[in-house]
Amino acid sequence: MKIKIITIGVYGFDETGFFDALCNANVDTFCDIRNRRGVRGTTYAFANSKRLQARLEELGIRYIYRKDLGPTKSVREKQAAADKATKTPKRKRTELGEVFIEAYRTECLNAFDPQSLLDELESDAQVVALFCVETTPEACHRSLVAEKLANTFDLEVEDILP
């Protein structure tokens, strides 16, 4: 099975634009890799787990949740400390800190068997979206997961931005 990986975050999208982007990219499988599956506020309420899953089902897009790929609290705290040191608001971050990247790789990616994700896919899966919240992939752990999948299986990766 040769699949394509899409990465997408919710920040910067409105509800229509977000789901249109998934459909335009022909996503058939949506992989939620957030540790916590809620987003505060009404602007992004459509990305809260139950609403998100219901809309994806309406669109015929399969939903997978991989909590094991969500950064742990201790890993998130390392990025928060780096953001605080540089006075960078979370939603304005344009890249991950090296301390986060190292901690995420150690705590999450080293234990992640990429084949386990492929084994979870339906046999007809062709385009899989890795989803978290940050606008740009460089500011989000989804880029690290996509990189590992791409390197392990020689897969194409495309980042969808608002």
Side-chain angles (χ1 to χ4, degrees):
M1 156 180 28
K2 186 72 169 184
I3 62 170
K4 178 179 181 180
I5 300 294
I6 299 293
T7 79
I8 189 168
V10 72
Y11 294 153
F13 280 103
D14 62 17
E15 184 171 359
T16 300
F18 180 80
F19 291 109
D20 283 351
L22 293 174
C23 291
N24 291 339
N26 298 313
V27 169
D28 55 57
T29 307
F30 187 93
C31 186
D32 191 339
I33 61 172
R34 299 176 289 175
N35 190 285
R36 298 173 297 185
R37 294 186 288 169
V39 183
R40 291 185 182 165
T42 58
T43 304
Y44 299 109
F46 66 90
N48 290 329
S49 182
K50 289 185 188 218
R51 287 183 62 183
L52 176 64
Q53 289 181 64
R55 183 68 180 123
L56 291 170
E57 186 175 353
E58 289 172 7
L59 296 170
I61 298 173
R62 292 178 288 265
Y63 177 88
I64 297 172
Y65 178 48
R66 291 295 301 253
K67 185 175 183 172
D68 62 314
L69 292 174
T72 62
K73 182 178 181 189
S74 66
V75 172
R76 289 191 315 272
E77 286 172 347
K78 289 177 181 11
Q79 185 62 54
D83 290 344
K84 185 176 181 180
T86 61
K87 296 183 171 117
T88 304
K90 181 179 178 182
R91 291 194 188 183
K92 301 285 185 188
R93 183 183 332 117
T94 58
E95 63 185 10
L96 293 169
E98 285 302 317
V99 68
F100 175 95
I101 293 169
E102 183 179 324
Y104 183 75
R105 284 183 172 146
T106 300
E107 290 188 33
C108 300
L109 281 185
N110 285 349
F112 169 56
D113 173 14
Q115 186 63 49
S116 70
L117 179 59
L118 266 56
D119 290 346
E120 200 169 340
L121 302 177
E122 297 292 329
S123 61
D124 63 345
Q126 294 181 353
V127 182
V128 177
L130 296 178
F131 170 70
C132 196
V133 295
E134 283 79 8
T135 305
T136 60
E138 298 83 12
C140 183
H141 73 287
R142 70 181 185 268
S143 65
L144 303 175
V145 176
E147 176 183 63
K148 182 157 185 163
L149 290 167
N151 290 341
T152 302
F153 299 112
D154 190 33
L155 300 177
E156 178 186 353
V157 175
E158 179 184 338
D159 301 311
I160 298 177
L161 301 172

